[in-house]
Amino acid sequence: MIPIRLLIIILFSGAVYGNPLDTINSTFSRKEILELAKEASSLLHESNFEKSFITSRLVLRYALTNNDNDLIARSYNIIGANYEELSEYDKAILYYKKGLVYANKAKNDTIKNWINNNLGNLYCFEKKEYKKGIAFFNESLRFNQKNKDTSQIVFTKLNIAWAYFDIKLFKEGIPYLEFVNNNSAKYGDKSNLVILNMLNGMYSGNIQNYAKAEFFFLKAIELGIKNQNHLDLSFSYNEYSSYLFKKGDFKRAYEYLVKYNKLTVEIQNSQNIKRAKRVGINVELDEYKRKVDTISAANNLQNQSLKKSKIIVVLFIVVIGILLLQMYTLYKNYLFKKKANNVLTLTNAELIIAKEKADEASLLKSQFLSTITHELRTPLYGVVGITNMLLEEHKELENSPHLNSLKFSARYLLSLINDVLQINKIEENRIVLEDLTFNIGDEIEMIITSLSFIAKNHNNTIDVDLDPEIPEFLIGDKLRFSQILINLISNALKFTHDGKVIIRSKLVKVEGIKHYIEFKIKDTGIGIAKEDQEKVFETFTQVGRKDLDYQGTGLGLPIVKKLLGLFESTIFIESVLGEGTTFMFVIPFDSNPEKTNDIINDIEVDLSNSQVFTVLVVDDNSINRLVTQKIIEKRNYKCVVVGSGKEAIELVENSSFDAILMDINMPEMNGFEATKIIRAMGVLTPIIALTAYSKEEITEQALSVGINDIIVKPFETAILFKIINQLIFKA
Ligand code: ATP
Ligand code: MG
């Protein structure tokens, strides 16, 4: 069978316009373009491919410019049909499929139906890919049914039946044929009656209903001749001849084969002419085809760039989305932070208030301590001084237990007050270490002597092991160093009975003038339990103390730890309960032999002086006045005493003194004010503040009013005279 499809569906009726334009202008309305599309199909029907191409190209260009999916689908369909007519089947399939994409976009079921039908035809009857073709037919059928277009349904089903019969699948094809038989009278097209009868003939022949087969075949042939439907007639001749051949009626089979051949030659002749024409046309059409292809390709490119821009837009949206999300989280964060900030600000404000209160309390505490210690130290100075005086003036009382216990109690009280004051001062960072030259051996010796009383009481021996490598004279804060040793040694003696206390010092490192000396204070006493070894450095902590078994307040070790902190050193403890305790620390002292010698020489000059000076003592407290006077006169210096700043000023106006010892805390006019006035009078006499205040507290103010030096009560007599002498010599 010559592979000629049943029908191309170009259903446009053709109102023909004048010559199609090569360019399309925007003044064309859609309606006019639609008409143009119809014209393109008419031109195709008339085998005027050139004009059909030109026209459909115009439609396509217009449709693409306007994104008119419906029109794009239509023009691709026509272009596909043109290619099909020109036997360029693959190209035809390409354009049909393009058309299908746009028909789907346009959601135009009619166009979808056409194109699917056309593809069905092409695959079944040109490409002989029946399965694919039937699938397209079925797709087409779906749209027909959706559109309730029965004549189309009849038409498509006829195609499907023929396709099945072509590949001898009669069973599959018969339901379709039956449907067409039942509906063809009402919905069928006359031009299809030849094929319908032929198919019925084929089917009847197949089921060996020869009478019926004979009837249908002859009917088909009759109609074919009558309607001059050559092509369909030739199919009918061919199928009838095959049928007769199968039946064994070779004579008639041959007869119809001859008819078929004759008609086929005629058709082929005319087709050959057509083909020849088409080949020529094909060459001429190349240009138009190319143009159509170009537009299509441009559209593809456009689509691709559209796809790209779509991707860009999507990316853009995603990025914006992420940014928005981030902004949202930031905003949330900001809100959270703001909230937290508010809370913090509030807490901060509360903290600031609390800190201010704490500062205030601390200031009050230190002021209170300063006042109270001052108030306590002044009378204690009197008590200690007078006790000393009594002991000196009345040698017979030297062994009086009452007087000794008075002396001890007063000293104890004084040292307690000093301890409290010192802890307070260290805590407030008001202590700065001083550089004094001292002999470390002498210092330790002095401490041991002062503590020999406890040693004796507890039946302890004291061993001193001094490293000979340690320089004889060291520079450093010997007072604070002594305090450390006194506390540790007195503890060792206090908590040891019938035992031994060893004081060991060793030079461990030398860096320039810095001499690192390690001290170990070891005893064989009661020891400190492991769990208490940290605690003992806390203020007022005493471990395992039974009521009144020894004296102490629990301030010794905290002071030691804090003082060592000033030396940038740390204390270590090693102890076994019942066996003994060792405290260790390292202090870097300076050693500078040259400087040391100078200082030692200086001191000697001062002490060698034997002149008699006159000293004015200004103090509102009569007991203190008396104590100081006694001390001065004992040195064989002259002493004048007054009870107020005013009196002092009057006296200074008229008489001259070698030095003035000025109490600071006096009613009406204090020592600073008095000094200021005296200096204003042009008097240059050295003025030494003699005060119960600590040095740090008043140094600044003292210097600013013209006080030359400060001596803190109670003082060592030697220091008092050293300072007096130095200042007088300078003056
Ligand atoms: P203060 O030193 O104020 O007179 P104190 O000696 O009791 O009183 P710290 O020197 O601080 O106070 O000592 C605290 C506690 O540590 C003591 O009460 C004692 O229990 C324990 N302690 C200190 N040194 C020794 C030691 N060498 N052997 C055994 N226990 C000690
Ligand atoms: Mg102690």
Side-chain angles (χ1 to χ4, degrees):
M1 188 177 92
I2 301 166
I4 294 173
R5 64 190 154 60
L6 187 61
L7 262 176
I8 291 178
I9 304 174
I10 309 286
L11 294 166
F12 300 128
S13 67
V16 182
Y17 274 72
N19 273 338
L21 301 163
D22 207 28
T23 52
I24 201 143
N25 121 14
S26 55
T27 54
F28 275 83
S29 71
R30 191 178 187 276
K31 213 178 147 202
E32 288 168 323
I33 296 295
L34 203 64
E35 285 304 323
L36 222 55
K38 286 179 185 171
E39 190 194 330
S41 350
S42 305
L43 288 164
L44 171 63
H45 265 312
E46 295 157 17
S47 302
N48 192 343
F49 304 112
E50 179 190 331
K51 279 193 175 162
S52 180
F53 263 125
I54 293 170
T55 314
S56 43
R57 196 184 78 209
L58 277 172
V59 176
L60 181 62
R61 191 181 288 169
Y62 171 90
L64 287 174
T65 328
N66 290 290
N67 280 330
D68 190 328
N69 292 328
D70 185 273
L71 269 177
I72 297 172
R74 280 170 197 267
S75 33
Y76 278 143
N77 186 33
I78 302 166
I79 292 164
N82 269 294
Y83 277 116
E84 190 176 351
E85 277 295 276
L86 293 168
S87 304
E88 291 191 35
Y89 302 123
D90 289 331
K91 263 224 165 129
I93 288 174
L94 179 83
Y95 279 98
Y96 282 144
K97 284 190 175 167
K98 275 186 185 199
L100 210 51
V101 170
Y102 284 91
N104 278 328
K105 276 189 193 171
K107 294 190 176 116
N108 188 329
D109 289 345
T110 313
I111 304 174
K112 280 192 228 174
N113 166 38
W114 296 342
I115 299 176
N116 275 305
N117 189 70
N118 288 350
L119 281 165
N121 274 326
L122 235 167
Y123 275 111
C124 284
F125 304 115
E126 308 296 353
K127 307 262 308 171
K128 297 285 176 198
E129 293 177 28
Y130 286 96
K131 260 200 182 150
K132 259 190 195 169
I134 290 168
F136 279 112
F137 280 138
N138 276 321
E139 191 65 9
S140 166
L141 201 58
R142 204 160 62 82
F143 295 114
N144 296 337
Q145 277 155 353
K146 209 169 150 193
N147 291 343
K148 296 199 172 84
D149 186 343
T150 318
S151 50
Q152 274 296 314
I153 295 172
V154 170
F155 177 76
T156 309
K157 285 200 171 177
L158 187 66
N159 271 336
I160 296 173
W162 194 1
Y164 276 126
F165 286 7
D166 241 6
I167 47 174
K168 312 290 179 224
L169 292 175
F170 291 100
K171 228 170 119 192
E172 280 80 3
I174 193 64
Y176 296 94
L177 183 65
E178 272 169 1
F179 181 88
V180 181
N181 283 336
N182 293 336
N183 292 283
S184 123
K186 203 170 167 194
Y187 301 100
D189 190 322
K190 263 191 203 154
S191 62
N192 296 330
L193 281 177
V194 181
I195 297 300
L196 181 61
N197 280 296
M198 178 193 81
L199 292 178
N200 274 309
M202 283 165 82
Y203 177 68
S204 304
N206 183 253
I207 57 167
Q208 295 170 357
N209 190 338
Y210 300 123
K212 263 194 174 178
E214 207 67 37
F215 169 78
F216 283 121
F217 274 127
L218 291 176
K219 184 90 184 162
I221 290 165
E222 183 199 321
L223 285 170
I225 295 167
K226 193 176 145 200
N227 298 339
Q228 300 245 327
N229 205 336
H230 296 283
L231 199 56
D232 293 348
L233 182 60
S234 79
F235 295 147
S236 303
Y237 282 149
N238 186 32
E239 290 301 338
Y240 187 39
S241 163
S242 313
Y243 156 76
L244 291 171
F245 185 80
K246 229 186 256 167
K247 220 179 87 180
D249 190 348
F250 301 116
K251 201 185 156 225
R252 287 183 68 214
Y254 176 72
E255 195 182 307
Y256 279 95
L257 190 61
V258 171
K259 284 187 183 187
Y260 166 72
N261 281 340
K262 201 182 154 210
L263 189 55
T264 307
V265 170
E266 272 174 39
I267 292 169
Q268 270 182 344
N269 280 344
S270 79
Q271 274 190 342
N272 279 346
I273 299 163
K274 247 191 194 170
R275 281 224 180 88
K277 264 192 200 163
R278 282 179 197 174
V279 172
I281 289 164
N282 248 346
V283 181
E284 290 165 31
L285 284 180
D286 269 357
E287 173 66 9
Y288 304 110
K289 288 183 198 163
R290 206 173 46 75
K291 278 187 181 164
V292 168
D293 290 350
T294 319
I295 293 173
S296 190
N299 181 44
N300 270 352
L301 268 178
Q302 213 177 344
N303 276 346
Q304 271 171 12
S305 74
L306 203 73
K307 253 186 209 162
K308 272 184 199 161
S309 23
K310 262 187 195 161
I311 290 170
I312 289 167
V313 167
V314 168
L315 274 179
F316 181 73
I317 288 168
V318 168
V319 168
I320 288 279
I322 290 169
L323 280 179
L324 280 177
L325 209 78
Q326 244 172 3
M327 261 169 74
Y328 177 72
T329 357
L330 278 178
Y331 177 68
K332 275 260 158 180
N333 255 355
Y334 163 76
L335 282 186
F336 176 75
K337 274 189 188 156
K338 203 174 151 192
K339 215 168 149 192
N341 244 11
N342 282 345
V343 175
L344 274 181
T345 319
L346 234 105
T347 325
N348 245 9
E350 279 166 12
L351 278 178
I352 287 170
I353 292 169
K355 190 189 173 288
E356 276 168 4
K357 275 187 184 161
D359 284 349
E360 203 179 322
S362 163
L363 192 76
L364 277 177
K365 182 185 130 198
S366 68
Q367 271 172 359
F368 168 76
L369 277 173
S370 163
T371 316
I372 208 85
T373 44
H374 178 265
E375 289 304 319
L376 284 171
R377 278 204 290 188
T378 308
L380 270 178
Y381 171 63
V383 175
V384 173
I386 286 181
T387 320
N388 283 341
M389 270 165 56
L390 273 176
L391 281 172
E392 272 174 31
E393 279 171 18
H394 303 273
K395 297 281 181 207
E396 71 275 13
L397 293 177
E398 209 169 332
N399 292 321
S400 155
H402 300 307
L403 205 63
N404 274 328
S405 103
L406 173 69
K407 192 179 161 187
F408 179 82
S409 300
R411 281 207 171 274
Y412 177 73
L413 207 53
L414 198 63
S415 79
L416 172 63
I417 289 165
N418 284 341
D419 278 357
V420 173
L421 190 71
Q422 187 154 35
I423 286 248
N424 191 44
K425 276 197 285 190
I426 299 174
E427 274 173 4
E428 288 179 4
N429 295 325
R430 285 198 285 133
I431 286 191
V432 182
L433 292 184
E434 283 171 48
D435 280 346
L436 297 166
T437 300
F438 66 98
N439 179 308
I440 190 166
D442 289 353
E443 208 63 33
I444 294 174
E445 203 50 52
M446 234 159 68
I447 292 165
I448 289 171
T449 314
S450 71
L451 295 174
S452 57
F453 176 72
I454 324 173
K456 217 192 265 166
N457 265 2
H458 285 185
N459 194 24
N460 291 326
T461 55
I462 304 176
D463 272 6
V464 180
D465 178 6
L466 198 62
D467 186 353
E469 295 290 317
I470 299 171
E472 195 183 355
F473 285 97
L474 294 169
I475 302 168
D477 199 323
K478 70 160 183 177
L479 289 177
R480 266 90 201 202
F481 166 64
S482 306
Q483 228 177 326
I484 292 168
L485 277 190
I486 288 171
N487 272 304
L488 292 176
I489 298 169
S490 70
N491 276 351
L493 290 169
K494 209 156 65 171
F495 300 106
T496 306
H497 288 83
D498 311 316
K500 203 178 193 180
V501 174
I502 304 163
I503 301 145
R504 198 165 279 151
S505 60
K506 198 178 160 204
L507 181 68
V508 286
K509 193 169 67 170
V510 180
E511 271 175 8
I513 58 163
K514 279 214 171 336
H515 288 61
Y516 289 84
I517 303 170
E518 182 195 73
F519 295 92
K520 276 188 182 170
I521 292 90
K522 186 175 156 69
D523 65 53
T524 54
I526 58 169
I528 304 169
K530 194 100 204 145
E531 63 269 24
D532 293 328
Q533 289 179 5
E534 288 262 320
K535 271 192 248 162
V536 294
F537 295 103
E538 287 164 21
T539 39
F540 302 112
T541 301
Q542 295 176 314
V543 291
R545 177 169 182 174
K546 289 165 220 113
D547 278 343
L548 298 169
D549 59 348
Y550 60 87
Q551 279 190 327
T553 44
L555 282 173
L557 287 181
I559 288 181
V560 166
K561 194 178 173 181
K562 289 195 161 94
L563 286 175
L564 278 171
L566 295 177
F567 284 102
E568 288 171 5
S569 174
T570 343
I571 188 153
F572 298 98
I573 181 172
E574 256 173 30
S575 185
V576 178
L577 213 54
E579 285 183 18
T581 310
T582 307
F583 286 97
M584 278 164 292
F585 59 92
V586 176
I587 291 185
F589 283 116
D590 288 352
S591 168
N592 188 345
E594 264 175 53
K595 211 174 144 194
T596 311
N597 280 340
D598 288 351
I599 293 167
I600 294 162
N601 292 340
D602 265 4
I603 294 167
E604 273 164 13
V605 170
D606 285 343
L607 293 176
S608 64
N609 159 61
S610 59
Q611 259 178 282
V612 175
F613 298 118
T614 314
V615 180
L616 173 65
V617 174
V618 190
D619 201 326
D620 65 316
N621 185 307
S622 53
I623 300 170
N624 286 351
R625 266 203 313 267
L626 186 67
V627 172
T628 315
Q629 189 180 11
K630 285 281 170 193
I631 291 169
I632 290 167
E633 282 173 354
K634 218 183 140 198
R635 183 75 184 228
N636 294 325
Y637 285 7
K638 273 186 193 156
C639 183
V640 180
V641 292
V642 288
S644 73
K646 259 193 187 157
E647 283 174 76
I649 294 162
E650 277 166 27
L651 215 59
V652 168
E653 239 182 346
N654 305 317
S655 14
S656 83
F657 297 94
D658 294 304
I660 302 169
L661 297 183
M662 178 78 77
D663 184 26
I664 294 297
N665 196 17
M666 292 184 290
E668 282 176 51
M669 185 188 282
N670 69 26
F672 297 128
E673 290 164 330
T675 309
K676 220 170 170 181
I677 294 168
I678 291 169
R679 290 288 181 240
M681 283 154 48
V683 178
L684 297 172
T685 314
I687 300 178
I688 301 151
L690 201 61
T691 175
Y693 285 117
S694 68
K695 215 170 173 178
E696 293 88 349
E697 279 171 297
I698 60 162
T699 305
E700 217 173 294
Q701 205 178 354
L703 290 177
S704 76
V705 295
I707 287 173
N708 301 77
D709 210 335
I710 300 160
I711 292 175
V712 179
K713 291 187 276 191
F715 47 80
E716 279 180 46
T717 6
I719 290 174
L720 175 72
F721 288 108
K722 188 183 136 194
I723 291 171
I724 291 176
N725 290 345
Q726 272 176 352
L727 286 175
I728 293 172
F729 272 115
K730 253 194 212 165

